Amino acid sequence: MQPWRPHRTATRRLGGWEPTAAHQRAILLAAGGAIVAVVGRRADLLVIVAPLVVAALWGHLVRPRTEVTGTARLGDTTLREGSVTGVHVTTEPSLPDVHGIVTLARAPWVERKPSSGIAELEDGRATLGLRSTRWGRRRVGTVSVALVSTWGAFRAGPVDLPDLDSATLPVPASFDASAPTPHPRGIVGLNRSNRPGSGSEFNTIRRFHPGDRLRRIHWPVSMRTGALHVTSTFTDEDAHVFLLVDCFSDVGPREGIDGRPTSLDVTVRAAGAISEHFLRSNDRLTLRTVGAAEVPTLGVGSGTNHLRRVLDTLAAISPATERRDTGEHAIRGVDPHALCLVLSPLIDPTTVTLAHTLAARGMTVVVVDTFPDHLVADPSNVYQALAWRIRLLSRDAEVHNLRLRGVPVVPWRGAGSLDQVLRDIARRASAPRMARR
């Protein structure tokens, strides 16, 4: 799949200078008035049409003869929800005594400043403000440029410039987890291991062995016993986190960053918050989506660069664009020791089936419920709230079946949402198990 490249700059020629309707009317009225004045011997008509003659002649003599090129440039092609950028429009060459107007068409989830989307060119330059209110990839609106010469005699345009594209990254919700990540296996993370090694968590004080670092020497115990002792630590390890994002549905009013979130808004922002938390802890993370077409495949990675790739992938989601997706490709090749987090409002049965499949393979699965509560508690539409309550009855049965299989279902509540379930999983992983002989 070709990488998505936003169009940041758009350039187009405004064409030749054409006489305006006002200029043509001035010429016709001046010519008609002069003919009537000569035929009817009316000197007063010559006085009346004289200003029209002067304006038409002046506008024709000072008309521009140079073809002008309009250029629109977007300040930032990658934004965050609620952030502001600008569209800078210039005309080359900048002609004196030429007035220009720039208009920016209305686009969904894009606020314009000024709100009319109209700005006047000053010395061939104009700037319009933009504010993106929802995540995703979109056009910012069509930019049109029109120029008018002195007395409004000749015009160039209006001409629509090629559309500009931008990507709005989701703002990660507030999230932090104090519980350790289960099944750490790497050697570069911040999770404490159960075996001694190089790390930061204190283990015990033992006698010095060849190869121990001198900075680990514990001098109080060494002076008291007469033999060198060192402090040993538990090794630090990283874990593998697998995120599965449900893109089958986007229910709720789409009000952007300033209003109530939809189910997909909660899902995408929760995925961004969880990714930011684990990647800043040097864990490895994999992101897969189901139900969305043309989403780039993201492999395993770590660090801040991988976080940027994760947010770019989330911004590329178009909900319900691949209804036939069974999710088998998304869960193929998953590390069996990974922590599988399924983010879904649990509306589509395909995601519930995938959670059962992952659990049947013996993986550690946690379902994060991203269903927005305001859909049921909305007092403005009683019948819609009642319909959602009826739908949630069957949804509760599906959640109950997941819990019977041992898959915890945790509602998304921001910071601390996964603390208790991660502690329980870590405690369960360290508990003794029965084995056959």
Side-chain angles (χ1 to χ4, degrees), residues 5 32 40 49 92 115 126 143 159 168 176 184 199 212 276 298 307 325 333 351 356 406 409:
R5 300 183 183 278
V49 300
E92 294 292 339
S115 58
V143 179
V159 173
T168 304
D176 189 17
D212 289 337
E276 184 176 10
L298 189 65
L307 175 61
D325 190 3
T351 310
H356 281 286
V409 180

Side-chain angles (χ1 to χ4, degrees), residues 9 136 160 252 419:
T9 304
D160 294 339
D419 279 352

Side-chain angles (χ1 to χ4, degrees), residues 159-306:
V159 173
D160 294 339
L161 303 183
D163 291 335
L164 303 174
D165 302 326
S166 68
T168 304
L169 305 182
V171 175
S174 175
F175 175 74
D176 189 17
S178 58
T181 307
H183 312 307
R185 300 182 64 198
I187 58 174
V188 295
L190 301 180
N191 299 290
R192 202 204 76 171
S193 173
N194 292 325
R195 60 177 182 267
S198 179
S200 57
E201 291 289 335
F202 175 78
N203 180 16
T204 184
I205 299 176
R206 58 172 177 80
R207 293 182 65 89
F208 179 86
H209 297 305
D212 289 337
R213 296 186 178 183
L214 297 181
R215 62 185 179 89
R216 293 288 187 182
I217 296 177
H218 195 276
W219 291 107
V221 176
S222 300
M223 295 294 292
R224 186 172 64 252
T225 59
L228 286 178
H229 285 70
V230 295
T231 57
S232 65
T233 58
F234 291 105
T235 184
D236 293 333
E237 297 181 327
D238 64 274
H240 184 193
V241 180
F242 173 75
L243 289 185
L244 184 63
V245 179
D246 179 7
C247 308
F248 280 109
S249 56
D250 186 17
V251 295
R254 301 181 181 181
E255 300 176 356
I257 191 66
D258 301 322
R260 296 170 297 178
T262 65
S263 62
L264 192 58
D265 288 341
V266 179
T267 302
V268 168
R269 292 166 187 167
I274 293 174
S275 302
E276 184 176 10
H277 169 74
F278 286 112
L279 290 176
R280 292 190 185 280
S281 300
N282 292 334
D283 290 329
R284 291 168 290 118
L285 186 133
T286 304
L287 176 68
R288 303 282 175 83
T289 60
V290 289
E294 298 182 358
V295 177
T297 303
L298 189 65
V300 182
S302 61
T304 55
N305 291 334
H306 192 64

Side-chain angles (χ1 to χ4, degrees), residues 38-54:
V38 171
V39 173
R41 297 180 179 181
R42 296 282 305 275
D44 56 337
L45 287 179
L46 289 176
V47 176
I48 293 175
V49 300
L52 296 178
V53 175
V54 173

